[in-house]
Amino acid sequence: MMTVREEIEQLKKERNAVILAHYYVRPEVQEIADYIGDSFYLSKIAVGLNEQVIIFCGVSFMGESAKILNPEKTVLMPDASADCAMAHMADVQTIERVRKEYKDLAVVCYINSTAELKRHSDVCVTSANAVNIVRALPERNIFFIPDRHLAHFVAEQVPEKNFIYNDGCCPIHARISQEEIHKAKAEHPRALVLAHPECPEAVLETADYIGSTSGIISYAEQSSGEEFIICTEVGVEYELRRRCPGKQFYFTETRPVCEDMKSITLEKILNVLRTGENEVLLNGSVIRESRQPLERMLDLGQK
Ligand code: 13P
Ligand code: SF4
């Protein structure tokens, strides 16, 4: 009898499918993925793949972005209910109101957002490219949605812009506290603190490095440090250990776990390969209109 993994491999070939996975999914899912990365890498790699079917092991905004950038492809989500809470924490009425209020304005939309929010925005960003893209925009006023923590981080790096903040955040990163980092530091005084910019400002103040998931992984790999306190979702531990054997990684006592990312299992991947269920379907005008800010991100992100 074939194992689940062998069946996935076989069906992948039969269906002409490719598996993309974010660093936050379970280790066994990262292990079988063809491409693993942060949100920016995954949206870049999704463009120009040869396979007709993309199995996206991540939350719904990631599958939607892959579909928007590749409307002719079939994008399947192993778990259709895997969603990012923050992706819904902004609204179109507020965008319209802010547009009326400020003349010289760009609506900058973190990729962790619904397609509906993207289509009302001027440009998308990820945590890996937000600073460079905002800096390159001609507009002086920036309405940054949905994440207020990432917005504050970018605002600090780009002081020449005037930021209008939105009240959204990632509930998982928001729980990471300065107190727990101090506690981890007391236990591991030589450890460097590496933090994702979705963390609250008090956490970022303690950080030796702030960056996206792939930024954190590369920093740990290249650093001469041997111990690190990692302030992002625990899924990154798999790639950190793979790339940095011998180094030590610690998380805060309240381990940051994104249950939606963890809901993706090998069995669910096998199921969508067998059945074609959970296809990402978006209407034509949503695809057309949300594609522009995503493509602008890919374009500005190269510079
Ligand atoms: P990255 O873009 O750094 O991979 O982060 C995505 C995410 O969902 C962070 O919570
Ligand atoms: Fe969304 Fe937070 Fe989960 Fe990332 S960790 S997918 S921002 S809920």
Side-chain angles (χ1 to χ4, degrees):
M1 211 176 87
M2 277 200 288
T3 62
V4 174
R5 211 179 146 149
E6 285 164 347
E7 259 192 88
I8 290 174
E9 286 304 326
Q10 190 186 42
L11 276 173
K12 223 173 65 176
K13 286 192 196 101
E14 283 175 29
R15 303 271 192 268
N16 189 20
V18 59
I19 300 181
L20 270 53
H22 188 267
Y23 286 130
Y24 292 165
V25 298
R26 293 164 182 272
E28 63 272 23
V29 174
Q30 293 190 46
E31 217 169 70
I32 58 125
D34 298 297
Y35 300 94
I36 320 167
D38 70 357
S39 311
F40 186 43
Y41 171 79
L42 291 172
S43 47
K44 275 190 298 187
I45 205 79
V47 181
L49 289 169
N50 292 326
E51 292 82 358
Q52 178 51 35
V53 178
I54 297 173
I55 310 288
F56 213 120
C57 302
V59 287
S60 60
F61 78 80
M62 296 179 172
E64 279 184 358
S65 300
K67 179 68 185 177
I68 292 163
L69 290 165
N70 305 276
E72 72 296 345
K73 299 253 164 119
T74 303
V75 180
L76 303 178
M77 302 303 284
D79 187 322
S81 66
D83 199 359
C84 168
M86 182 168 58
H88 305 271
M89 292 186 190
D91 63 82
V92 174
Q93 291 88 320
T94 311
I95 297 176
E96 297 309 332
R97 181 175 56 72
V98 176
R99 279 199 192 282
K100 279 198 194 107
E101 230 169 285
Y102 293 83
K103 282 287 150 282
D104 187 20
L105 180 85
V107 178
V108 176
C109 187
Y110 190 24
I111 196 163
N112 295 43
S113 53
T114 60
E116 186 59 18
L117 288 172
K118 287 184 178 74
R119 82 195 268 224
H120 286 88
S121 303
D122 298 307
V123 65
C124 288
V125 295
T126 74
S127 56
N129 58 33
V131 169
N132 286 344
I133 289 180
V134 168
R135 197 175 277 139
L137 292 173
E139 294 85 358
R140 195 182 111 68
N141 297 310
I142 305 293
F143 182 34
F144 195 104
I145 57 166
D147 188 8
R148 68 172 187 275
H149 296 311
L150 179 61
H152 279 282
F153 169 70
V154 178
E156 229 174 75
Q157 314 296 308
V158 195
E160 65 273 25
K161 304 281 183 189
N162 174 47
F163 272 70
I164 300 116
Y165 299 98
N166 173 74
D167 197 21
C169 70
C170 162
I172 287 90
H173 286 81
R175 276 199 295 270
I176 302 176
S177 72
Q178 202 184 47
E179 292 68 38
E180 287 202 4
I181 293 166
H182 287 325
K183 201 167 164 213
K185 257 314 237 195
E187 284 164 25
H188 312 286
R190 284 200 306 274
L192 296 172
V193 177
L194 314 186
H196 196 281
E198 287 180 15
C199 293
E201 285 83 284
V203 169
L204 299 186
E205 274 168 25
T206 69
D208 296 289
Y209 171 80
I210 300 167
S212 73
T213 51
S214 52
I216 288 173
I217 293 162
S218 306
Y219 185 92
E221 191 178 22
Q222 282 154 25
S223 166
S224 56
E226 294 289 321
E227 295 177 74
F228 304 90
I229 296 162
I230 304 296
C231 304
T232 192
E233 212 271 353
V234 295
V236 295
E237 195 173 7
Y238 172 79
E239 186 70 4
L240 283 167
R241 293 205 182 286
R242 201 180 68 77
R243 284 215 230 157
C244 317
K247 295 194 178 182
Q248 298 300 315
F249 300 102
Y250 314 108
F251 289 84
T252 45
E253 197 173 10
T254 315
R255 283 170 69 81
V257 178
C258 180
E259 294 298 346
D260 285 81
M261 288 284 192
K262 297 295 181 269
S263 70
I264 295 143
T265 61
L266 293 182
E267 287 72 19
K268 290 179 188 174
I269 296 171
L270 181 57
N271 176 56
V272 293
L273 274 166
R274 274 188 187 140
T275 62
E277 276 172 12
N278 301 347
E279 183 174 353
V280 176
L281 296 170
L282 294 169
N283 85 36
S285 61
V286 172
I287 291 183
R288 261 193 319 280
E289 290 165 23
S290 52
R291 194 182 169 120
Q292 253 178 327
L294 273 172
E295 283 187 334
R296 199 166 170 215
M297 172 188 82
L298 293 179
D299 184 37
L300 288 170
Q302 313 294 357
K303 291 172 182 157

PDB file of all heavy atoms in Angstrom, residues 154-168:
ATOM      1  N   VAL A 154       6.942  50.651   9.204  1.00  0.00           N
ATOM      2  CA  VAL A 154       7.313  51.279   7.929  1.00  0.00           C
ATOM      3  C   VAL A 154       7.426  52.800   8.109  1.00  0.00           C
ATOM      4  O   VAL A 154       8.356  53.433   7.603  1.00  0.00           O
ATOM      5  CB  VAL A 154       6.289  50.924   6.812  1.00  0.00           C
ATOM      6  CG1 VAL A 154       6.655  51.615   5.496  1.00  0.00           C
ATOM      7  CG2 VAL A 154       6.221  49.414   6.598  1.00  0.00           C
ATOM      8  N   ALA A 155       6.481  53.373   8.864  1.00  0.00           N
ATOM      9  CA  ALA A 155       6.483  54.829   9.069  1.00  0.00           C
ATOM     10  C   ALA A 155       7.799  55.291   9.703  1.00  0.00           C
ATOM     11  O   ALA A 155       8.338  56.345   9.346  1.00  0.00           O
ATOM     12  CB  ALA A 155       5.308  55.230   9.955  1.00  0.00           C
ATOM     13  N   GLU A 156       8.313  54.479  10.596  1.00  0.00           N
ATOM     14  CA  GLU A 156       9.581  54.847  11.236  1.00  0.00           C
ATOM     15  C   GLU A 156      10.742  54.847  10.246  1.00  0.00           C
ATOM     16  O   GLU A 156      11.651  55.670  10.325  1.00  0.00           O
ATOM     17  CB  GLU A 156       9.875  53.848  12.354  1.00  0.00           C
ATOM     18  CG  GLU A 156      10.231  54.552  13.642  1.00  0.00           C
ATOM     19  CD  GLU A 156      10.379  53.589  14.770  1.00  0.00           C
ATOM     20  OE1 GLU A 156      11.407  52.892  14.807  1.00  0.00           O
ATOM     21  OE2 GLU A 156       9.444  53.531  15.593  1.00  0.00           O
ATOM     22  N   GLN A 157      10.698  53.907   9.300  1.00  0.00           N
ATOM     23  CA  GLN A 157      11.766  53.814   8.294  1.00  0.00           C
ATOM     24  C   GLN A 157      11.620  54.865   7.191  1.00  0.00           C
ATOM     25  O   GLN A 157      12.577  55.150   6.490  1.00  0.00           O
ATOM     26  CB  GLN A 157      11.761  52.439   7.592  1.00  0.00           C
ATOM     27  CG  GLN A 157      11.637  51.227   8.489  1.00  0.00           C
ATOM     28  CD  GLN A 157      12.822  51.110   9.402  1.00  0.00           C
ATOM     29  OE1 GLN A 157      13.958  51.137   8.949  1.00  0.00           O
ATOM     30  NE2 GLN A 157      12.554  51.029  10.696  1.00  0.00           N
ATOM     31  N   VAL A 158      10.396  55.352   7.003  1.00  0.00           N
ATOM     32  CA  VAL A 158      10.153  56.308   5.902  1.00  0.00           C
ATOM     33  C   VAL A 158       9.521  57.577   6.491  1.00  0.00           C
ATOM     34  O   VAL A 158       8.354  57.884   6.245  1.00  0.00           O
ATOM     35  CB  VAL A 158       9.230  55.668   4.817  1.00  0.00           C
ATOM     36  CG1 VAL A 158       9.263  56.489   3.528  1.00  0.00           C
ATOM     37  CG2 VAL A 158       9.620  54.222   4.519  1.00  0.00           C
ATOM     38  N   PRO A 159      10.299  58.354   7.245  1.00  0.00           N
ATOM     39  CA  PRO A 159       9.726  59.488   7.979  1.00  0.00           C
ATOM     40  C   PRO A 159       9.219  60.615   7.083  1.00  0.00           C
ATOM     41  O   PRO A 159       8.456  61.461   7.532  1.00  0.00           O
ATOM     42  CB  PRO A 159      10.896  59.969   8.864  1.00  0.00           C
ATOM     43  CG  PRO A 159      12.119  59.399   8.248  1.00  0.00           C
ATOM     44  CD  PRO A 159      11.736  58.191   7.487  1.00  0.00           C
ATOM     45  N   GLU A 160       9.635  60.609   5.829  1.00  0.00           N
ATOM     46  CA  GLU A 160       9.196  61.683   4.931  1.00  0.00           C
ATOM     47  C   GLU A 160       7.715  61.544   4.530  1.00  0.00           C
ATOM     48  O   GLU A 160       7.129  62.467   3.959  1.00  0.00           O
ATOM     49  CB  GLU A 160      10.091  61.763   3.682  1.00  0.00           C
ATOM     50  CG  GLU A 160      10.071  60.567   2.747  1.00  0.00           C
ATOM     51  CD  GLU A 160      11.061  59.453   3.128  1.00  0.00           C
ATOM     52  OE1 GLU A 160      11.419  59.341   4.308  1.00  0.00           O
ATOM     53  OE2 GLU A 160      11.435  58.681   2.218  1.00  0.00           O
ATOM     54  N   LYS A 161       7.094  60.410   4.835  1.00  0.00           N
ATOM     55  CA  LYS A 161       5.677  60.204   4.476  1.00  0.00           C
ATOM     56  C   LYS A 161       4.783  60.461   5.680  1.00  0.00           C
ATOM     57  O   LYS A 161       5.189  60.253   6.831  1.00  0.00           O
ATOM     58  CB  LYS A 161       5.453  58.755   4.003  1.00  0.00           C
ATOM     59  CG  LYS A 161       6.331  58.330   2.854  1.00  0.00           C
ATOM     60  CD  LYS A 161       5.828  58.859   1.536  1.00  0.00           C
ATOM     61  CE  LYS A 161       6.691  58.342   0.387  1.00  0.00           C
ATOM     62  NZ  LYS A 161       6.384  58.974  -0.879  1.00  0.00           N
ATOM     63  N   ASN A 162       3.541  60.855   5.392  1.00  0.00           N
ATOM     64  CA  ASN A 162       2.543  61.042   6.446  1.00  0.00           C
ATOM     65  C   ASN A 162       1.627  59.812   6.458  1.00  0.00           C
ATOM     66  O   ASN A 162       0.953  59.533   5.468  1.00  0.00           O
ATOM     67  CB  ASN A 162       1.741  62.314   6.169  1.00  0.00           C
ATOM     68  CG  ASN A 162       0.606  62.476   7.155  1.00  0.00           C
ATOM     69  OD1 ASN A 162       0.809  62.323   8.362  1.00  0.00           O
ATOM     70  ND2 ASN A 162      -0.585  62.750   6.660  1.00  0.00           N
ATOM     71  N   PHE A 163       1.633  59.087   7.565  1.00  0.00           N
ATOM     72  CA  PHE A 163       0.857  57.843   7.638  1.00  0.00           C
ATOM     73  C   PHE A 163      -0.511  58.039   8.266  1.00  0.00           C
ATOM     74  O   PHE A 163      -0.647  58.739   9.270  1.00  0.00           O
ATOM     75  CB  PHE A 163       1.629  56.781   8.440  1.00  0.00           C
ATOM     76  CG  PHE A 163       2.565  55.972   7.593  1.00  0.00           C
ATOM     77  CD1 PHE A 163       3.707  56.539   7.052  1.00  0.00           C
ATOM     78  CD2 PHE A 163       2.288  54.635   7.322  1.00  0.00           C
ATOM     79  CE1 PHE A 163       4.566  55.790   6.254  1.00  0.00           C
ATOM     80  CE2 PHE A 163       3.138  53.878   6.530  1.00  0.00           C
ATOM     81  CZ  PHE A 163       4.277  54.450   5.993  1.00  0.00           C
ATOM     82  N   ILE A 164      -1.498  57.403   7.679  1.00  0.00           N
ATOM     83  CA  ILE A 164      -2.825  57.309   8.297  1.00  0.00           C
ATOM     84  C   ILE A 164      -2.962  55.832   8.655  1.00  0.00           C
ATOM     85  O   ILE A 164      -2.745  54.955   7.804  1.00  0.00           O
ATOM     86  CB  ILE A 164      -3.929  57.754   7.304  1.00  0.00           C
ATOM     87  CG1 ILE A 164      -3.676  59.209   6.885  1.00  0.00           C
ATOM     88  CG2 ILE A 164      -5.327  57.608   7.916  1.00  0.00           C
ATOM     89  CD1 ILE A 164      -3.388  59.376   5.449  1.00  0.00           C
ATOM     90  N   TYR A 165      -3.268  55.572   9.926  1.00  0.00           N
ATOM     91  CA  TYR A 165      -3.256  54.187  10.410  1.00  0.00           C
ATOM     92  C   TYR A 165      -4.641  53.574  10.408  1.00  0.00           C
ATOM     93  O   TYR A 165      -5.648  54.263  10.556  1.00  0.00           O
ATOM     94  CB  TYR A 165      -2.646  54.125  11.811  1.00  0.00           C
ATOM     95  CG  TYR A 165      -1.213  54.614  11.831  1.00  0.00           C
ATOM     96  CD1 TYR A 165      -0.914  55.920  12.216  1.00  0.00           C
ATOM     97  CD2 TYR A 165      -0.189  53.780  11.425  1.00  0.00           C
ATOM     98  CE1 TYR A 165       0.391  56.374  12.209  1.00  0.00           C
ATOM     99  CE2 TYR A 165       1.124  54.233  11.404  1.00  0.00           C
ATOM    100  CZ  TYR A 165       1.409  55.532  11.803  1.00  0.00           C
ATOM    101  OH  TYR A 165       2.696  55.972  11.779  1.00  0.00           O
ATOM    102  N   ASN A 166      -4.657  52.262  10.276  1.00  0.00           N
ATOM    103  CA  ASN A 166      -5.900  51.494  10.326  1.00  0.00           C
ATOM    104  C   ASN A 166      -5.785  50.556  11.527  1.00  0.00           C
ATOM    105  O   ASN A 166      -4.693  50.132  11.883  1.00  0.00           O
ATOM    106  CB  ASN A 166      -6.007  50.682   9.023  1.00  0.00           C
ATOM    107  CG  ASN A 166      -7.171  49.719   9.041  1.00  0.00           C
ATOM    108  OD1 ASN A 166      -8.317  50.139   8.911  1.00  0.00           O
ATOM    109  ND2 ASN A 166      -6.896  48.448   9.202  1.00  0.00           N
ATOM    110  N   ASP A 167      -6.946  50.240  12.116  1.00  0.00           N
ATOM    111  CA  ASP A 167      -6.862  49.513  13.379  1.00  0.00           C
ATOM    112  C   ASP A 167      -6.925  47.991  13.232  1.00  0.00           C
ATOM    113  O   ASP A 167      -7.760  47.339  13.850  1.00  0.00           O
ATOM    114  CB  ASP A 167      -7.972  49.999  14.324  1.00  0.00           C
ATOM    115  CG  ASP A 167      -7.668  49.597  15.758  1.00  0.00           C
ATOM    116  OD1 ASP A 167      -6.489  49.333  16.050  1.00  0.00           O
ATOM    117  OD2 ASP A 167      -8.618  49.524  16.559  1.00  0.00           O
ATOM    118  N   GLY A 168      -6.064  47.409  12.395  1.00  0.00           N
ATOM    119  CA  GLY A 168      -6.040  45.947  12.283  1.00  0.00           C
ATOM    120  C   GLY A 168      -4.720  45.417  12.787  1.00  0.00           C
ATOM    121  O   GLY A 168      -3.735  46.158  12.864  1.00  0.00           O
TER     122      GLY A 168
END
